[in-house]
Amino acid sequence: MKKGVLTRIEADEKVIQVRMDNVEKNSLFVADIFKTFSKHGVNIDMISSVNFVEELRIDFTCEEDCQKQLNEAIQEVNDNHPRISIHTYKNVGKLVVEGEAMRDEPGVAAEIFDIFGQNQIPFSQVTTSEISISFVLHSKYIAKALEKIKEAIE
């Protein structure tokens, strides 16, 4: 990776990952779910989805300090939408790599995936934009991932 492409590499180890299975493929349905989380004061960060034939799986992250609000929102979603299966994962963190130059630099994601693969660092969620990539990793891999990415760009 060219030097200077990544200008920010940081991690937040106080994250909860939420996975919702069997979500109906309907934007109003999805909106209702996220309105419930919002109503309870859950500030959602990363969101990703997987589109299956009959349903969606939606993953998102939020800060650990909103655990109480998250639990209340999950209960309400479960009450209103019993078909949805919701799982929360603690002991995870979010790792972010970012840089304006990523917009014009092909292969950044490939290099990060290669670093993870070469160092046996599994990830459970990834989201991207033109200038950033965010990963959810188990907390025990955060320091190693940071170290290996920084080594690769020096």
Side-chain angles (χ1 to χ4, degrees), residues 82-138:
R83 74 175 270 165
I84 297 176
S85 173
I86 303 176
H87 307 279
T88 60
Y89 302 93
K90 291 181 132 186
N91 300 316
V92 297
K94 179 178 79 167
L95 178 116
V96 178
V97 296
E98 184 178 272
E100 282 290 328
M102 288 175 62
R103 182 182 323 272
D104 301 313
E105 184 69 26
V108 175
E111 290 189 46
I112 302 295
F113 288 133
D114 188 52
I115 291 166
F116 286 178
Q118 294 296 325
N119 293 282
Q120 298 191 2
I121 300 170
F123 60 92
S124 59
Q125 184 180 359
V126 60
T127 61
T128 66
S129 75
E130 289 183 324
I131 64 165
S132 71
I133 308 171
S134 299
F135 298 91
V136 174
L137 311 171
H138 190 284

Side-chain angles (χ1 to χ4, degrees), residues 50-84:
V50 178
N51 194 355
F52 296 109
V53 173
E54 298 293 325
E55 74 271 342
L56 298 170
R57 184 184 87 209
I58 299 175
D59 295 357
F60 68 85
T61 60
C62 62
E63 294 294 322
E64 260 183 13
D65 62 3
C66 68
Q67 179 72 66
K68 181 177 181 288
Q69 298 94 318
L70 178 64
N71 291 344
E72 292 167 356
I74 288 172
Q75 184 61 55
E76 185 174 333
V77 169
N78 281 330
D79 291 346
N80 294 336
H81 307 288
R83 74 175 270 165
I84 297 176

Side-chain angles (χ1 to χ4, degrees), residues 34-53:
F34 281 97
K35 283 179 183 178
T36 300
F37 287 107
S38 176
K39 177 176 78 175
H40 285 275
V42 178
N43 188 14
I44 293 174
D45 185 19
M46 297 172 63
I47 301 174
S48 60
S49 67
V50 178
N51 194 355
F52 296 109
V53 173

